[in-house]
Amino acid sequence: TTTPGTAGETGTGFGLPFSFDIMEAHGGWLTVSSVPGRGSIFCARLPHVKPRVMLVDDEPMDRFMVRSVLNQMDLEVLEVESGAEALARVEREIPHLILSDVKMPDMDGMELLRLLKKDDTLRKIPVIILTTSNAPDDISATYKSGANSYIQKPDSFDQFISLFNCVQQYWIKTVKLPVL
């Protein structure tokens, strides 16, 4: 508060140490270049994050088809075969997005969705439900359970493009990661 800033404002001098701590906590760093009497330039850098998607589906062929779309997007794909397996793994490797089938043995996708939304930490993970159903009641129930989106499982080129576009939009708008 004793030294005025460049625009005459007073400050506490805490901004740079706080910024440094935040950057360091996220694996990043700050650099500075300074010329006495002319000012300073501070650069903040964060490491590249490869988006992680958890794909939950009991059908190997369906996982293969969806994974082929996701692999074109340079994502880390975590594959699991059931809702129970997803729930056990999601706490160890928190994904940026979950794509889940509905009909699975052990624990279906809707139960997985309900359990994720009950957990304070996991509820923030966007969930896109993939299913063969296109019934209005199923779509409505999916959104009421907290899903972020609902996509019919791809069985044509156009639906693959739809899946690709939907996932990409979640990176841009929801997850706030760079455009892929």
Side-chain angles (χ1 to χ4, degrees), residues 6 17 23 34 40 66 83 95 113 138 160 178:
T6 56
M23 294 301 292
S34 185
S40 302
V66 173
L113 179 60
D138 292 341
F160 272 107

Side-chain angles (χ1 to χ4, degrees), residues 38-177:
R38 296 197 57 205
S40 302
I41 298 173
F42 294 89
C43 293
R45 298 186 192 272
L46 289 171
H48 173 71
V49 174
K50 189 169 189 173
R52 184 180 305 136
V53 176
M54 180 174 284
L55 174 58
V56 187
D57 199 320
D58 61 317
E59 293 293 330
M61 184 52 90
D62 289 348
R63 283 197 318 271
F64 172 79
M65 290 187 313
V66 173
R67 185 179 64 244
S68 68
V69 172
L70 298 176
N71 284 341
Q72 295 175 34
M73 302 172 75
D74 190 33
L75 307 170
E76 178 183 350
V77 180
L78 309 173
E79 290 186 50
V80 295
E81 297 180 10
S82 71
E85 186 183 350
L87 200 56
R89 192 167 175 189
V90 76
E91 292 181 7
R92 291 190 319 265
E93 301 174 83
I94 296 178
H96 296 102
L97 176 68
I98 296 174
L99 298 172
S100 179
D101 184 22
V102 173
K103 295 180 182 173
M104 296 179 289
D106 191 16
M107 177 191 298
D108 70 12
M110 296 303 286
E111 182 62 19
L112 170 63
L113 179 60
R114 280 190 277 282
L115 292 171
L116 289 169
K117 296 305 176 182
K118 283 183 181 179
D119 185 288
D120 288 337
T121 303
L122 305 177
R123 76 167 30 120
K124 297 172 187 164
I125 302 170
V127 178
I128 298 174
I129 294 296
L130 296 170
T131 185
T132 56
S133 173
N134 208 17
D137 289 345
D138 292 341
I139 295 170
S140 177
T142 300
Y143 285 115
K144 284 181 183 176
S145 296
N148 296 81
S149 194
Y150 178 99
I151 301 175
Q152 194 168 5
K153 277 190 177 181
D155 63 3
S156 70
F157 181 76
D158 289 342
Q159 288 176 338
F160 272 107
I161 297 301
S162 175
L163 171 63
F164 181 89
N165 289 336
C166 186
V167 172
Q168 190 171 43
Q169 288 307 309
Y170 268 93
W171 294 144
I172 297 166
K173 293 180 183 172
T174 306
V175 185
K176 304 288 193 248
L177 292 174

